[in-house]
Amino acid sequence: MNRAIVVSRAEVAADCARQLLQRSVDMGHRRLSVARARSALALGVVLTAEQVAFCLSAARAIDDTEMIDVLAGAISSSGVPCG
């Protein structure tokens, strides 16, 4: 019998968003990382401490006050140290 792995579109989208965000962080792309973090969060992705820290720094650098507030909230709710 052939067993198929069933993955929802939402799971695929979230996984893609997570991978794209990590790639942007790894490459040091500030604006793109902030945009991808916004998309990832909208899809329910839980950001790593590294991603939050990088994107918060990037959001501050580009003066994205909305994203600063979102990421600061993620830090306070997760216990990730804010720097």
Side-chain angles (χ1 to χ4, degrees):
M1 185 182 330
N2 188 5
R3 291 187 181 194
I5 297 175
V6 178
V7 180
S8 74
R9 287 181 183 184
E11 290 172 316
V12 171
D15 187 51
C16 289
R18 182 182 307 105
Q19 290 180 40
L20 287 169
L21 171 58
Q22 187 58 52
R23 178 164 166 67
S24 294
V25 169
D26 291 344
M27 299 293 288
H29 297 151
R30 293 187 305 184
R31 287 184 186 275
L32 189 53
S33 293
V34 171
R36 286 186 170 164
R38 183 177 282 115
S39 297
L41 289 169
L43 292 168
V45 172
V46 176
L47 305 184
T48 67
E50 173 196 22
Q51 292 166 340
V52 170
F54 182 85
C55 292
L56 182 58
S57 173
R60 287 178 175 149
I62 63 174
D63 200 28
D64 186 336
T65 55
E66 178 186 341
M67 207 51 191
I68 292 168
D69 292 343
V70 168
L71 292 166
I75 288 170
S76 65
S77 66
S78 69
V80 174
C82 182

